[in-house]
Structures are given as structure tokens and as C-alpha cells.
Amino acid sequence: MRRARRLFGLAGLALAVGPADAGSVWVASQQGARAARIERPDGASAAEVAVAPSPAVVAAGPGGRLYLSHPDGRAITVIAADGATRQWPVPGQPFGLAADPDGRFLYVGDWSGNRVLRLSAATGAVEAEVAVGPDPAGLTLGANGRLYVAEREGRSVGVVDTARMVRIAGIPVGDGPFALAHDPVRDRVYVANVRSNDLTVIDAGALKPVATLPVGASPYGVAVSPDGRRVVVTNQHAGTVSIVDADTLTVAATVPVGRYPEGVAILEGLAYVANWFSDDVSVVDLAARTETGRIPVPEGPRTLVAAQTAPVSAEAGR
């Protein structure tokens, strides 16, 4: 039974992403072992690619490349722009992912090893590693070569200088930080704290928290609109998303979505929300602050990413 197969208990498998290249939204489905592409907010997934069992996090690299982590399989799946797949073995339990925008590196959080690995984006070889706080979950890249790591059991966000692969700071946040997203417009990092039911706002330049906002029950995913004006937080146990006004740092609206919302991505004024228990993706109009539809996807959708559209055949992986 799917509900009994949850990998990490409270940790779950939801991340979020910040702004990404326009194109389409990809969703990783854990039980369905699929990556599905969504191109129309009112239609079904446009393509599916079969991957190894239990994909956790999906991240986008340049040129339409996708990466998926498999904590139980100790591997990363790479999907090329033409839909071809390959696997890289990775030590530990690879979970959180962040792809270097210049295409050189992939950063991978090792859930059980309390470290972040830097992999060659060309070969998957481990080139460097750095120790971080306990149970690293979400990863996001910010300005000046900094990588931010949600250290779930440390109640902190670790900051890594990726040039030296050194942890240079630990920023205190709420209880159970899990997902995070960087806003390059204001140079902020937003952190969803799953146990304290709030959102920490970090001034990334000063490396300190500047606000804490209560949101819904068990916030698991967070994404920032490309203009930096809106932040969307998924509230897993509440079955809602919170839309945060980044100017006033207040919750502007709470919108009901599907069952157990986890990952979220924003594309062209719409938030796409992975509903793990209802096997669909909610589409939320951020201007109207309402759910406009749901798209069926393979079983167990957990995470999403907005990415450049890759020319994958609709029959790929089927």
C-alpha cells in the first residue's frame, strides 16, 4: 500500500524550486517511477519518461537536462534533452539536488551522511564534498556561488561556499526546515519549517533571518515567482497553499488544493502543486488566487521543476 511506503517519515520527499527557465513543468512521481512533462495548464501530461524506482527530487540543468535523486537506490537518473536516460551511482542517500546554471556541477545532499557532494555534471564523478548539519533536505543555489542547505534536524540553514566547498555559516530557522528557495530579486532565501508551521525569511547578503511568517500545517514546499513578488508554500497536512506577498511579508491568500500537497513550481503566473495522495497536480492562478484545475499524473507525485522544454517524444518511457 502506497501510504506505508513513505521513505523518511516526517521528512517526506518534497522540495521546491526557485525561478527557473521558462518552458514546461516536470513532475517526479515516486510510486509511478516516472518523470512527466506538463505543458498545458488545462491538459494531461505531454510526455512520460520511465526512471528507476522511487525518484525523490527532480532538478533542471541547462539545455533541457533533468536530474532525479533516488535515496533508496543510491543513484541519480539523468534525462537528456532527447529523452535518453542514464544512471550514476552515488555514495550515501542522495536526496536534495541543485544544478549549477553553467552546466559544470550538480550538488547532491546525502541524507544519511550529513554532507553535500559536488558531482561533475558531465560524468557524475564525485569531485568534492563538505560536511553540513544533520539530515540535509532541500538545496538551492544563490548569489556569489553560495549553496543553501536545509539542515532539518539542526533547525538551521547551512551556507556553503561552493568554490572552496566549505560551510561558512549556519543560520537559525524554525523547527524542521525542509524546503527552501532563493529569490535573486531581493537576494532572500525562503525556508519552509515543517514542524513549526512557519516560513523563515533570510537576508542572504547578511546571512541572517529577518522575518518568520506562520503558514499552514506542515509546510513542505516553497517557490518564488520570477519577479520575486509572490512566494508559494505548500501546506501538506492542511491540503492548501499559502500565497505570500513578498513586499509586505504577509499571507495574502490560502488556497485549497489536492491531498497532501508537497512540491511546487511556478511558471508564467501559475503555481503547479504536486498532490502526493491524489495523484494529480493542482494549477493555481496566482493573480486570481484560486485553483483553476488539476492534471492527472503517474502515481505518487512528489516534486516539480520548471525547466526548458525538452523535445521528448510523447511515447518516451511508455
Side-chain angles (χ1 to χ4, degrees), residues 12-256:
L13 285 175
L15 284 190
V17 295
D21 297 324
S24 56
V25 172
W26 285 85
V27 56
S29 291
Q30 184 186 39
Q31 284 73 29
R34 291 286 191 277
R37 189 178 76 210
I38 299 169
E39 290 186 331
R40 304 181 309 278
D42 59 348
S45 58
E48 294 178 15
V49 179
V51 297
S54 300
V57 174
V58 58
R65 178 178 289 191
L66 296 175
Y67 303 94
L68 295 93
S69 63
H70 303 268
D72 290 346
R74 300 179 182 269
I76 300 291
T77 292
V78 184
I79 304 178
D82 62 0
T85 64
R86 54 180 168 151
Q87 270 202 319
W88 293 336
V90 178
Q93 283 189 295
F95 184 67
L97 302 174
D100 193 331
D102 66 10
R104 295 182 303 162
F105 304 120
L106 178 70
Y107 298 94
V108 181
D110 177 4
W111 182 274
S112 58
N114 300 334
R115 59 182 175 170
V116 171
L117 308 173
R118 187 176 72 196
L119 275 57
S120 164
T123 67
V126 177
E127 297 188 343
E129 66 177 73
V130 57
V132 295
D135 291 2
L139 307 181
T140 191
L141 283 163
N144 303 317
R146 289 176 174 173
L147 178 74
Y148 300 89
V149 183
E151 299 168 338
R152 195 191 67 140
E153 295 307 315
R155 301 185 63 162
S156 59
V157 167
V159 185
V160 173
D161 178 335
T162 58
R164 298 180 293 149
M165 287 299 284
V166 174
R167 184 180 183 273
I168 60 173
I171 304 169
V173 293
D175 192 1
F178 188 72
L180 39 69
H182 178 253
D183 169 22
V185 177
R186 293 176 173 81
D187 199 17
R188 289 175 177 169
V189 176
Y190 296 93
V191 186
N193 304 304
V194 69
R195 293 197 190 106
S196 51
N197 301 328
D198 52 26
L199 181 75
T200 299
V201 184
I202 293 173
D203 181 327
L207 296 180
K208 65 179 183 181
V210 294
T212 300
L213 289 67
V215 288
S218 298
Y220 254 54
V222 59
V224 186
S225 62
D227 61 8
R229 295 179 57 195
R230 297 182 180 94
V231 182
V232 180
V233 182
T234 62
N235 304 308
Q236 187 193 65
H237 290 173
T240 63
V241 297
S242 299
I243 301 175
V244 175
D245 183 318
D247 291 326
T248 62
L249 291 180
T250 58
V251 176
T254 301
V255 180

Side-chain angles (χ1 to χ4, degrees), residues 253-279:
T254 301
V255 180
V257 289
R259 297 178 59 207
Y260 254 57
E262 299 208 338
V264 56
I266 296 174
L267 182 66
E268 298 177 354
L270 301 173
Y272 293 81
V273 181
N275 300 311
W276 182 32
F277 279 11
S278 48
D279 297 333

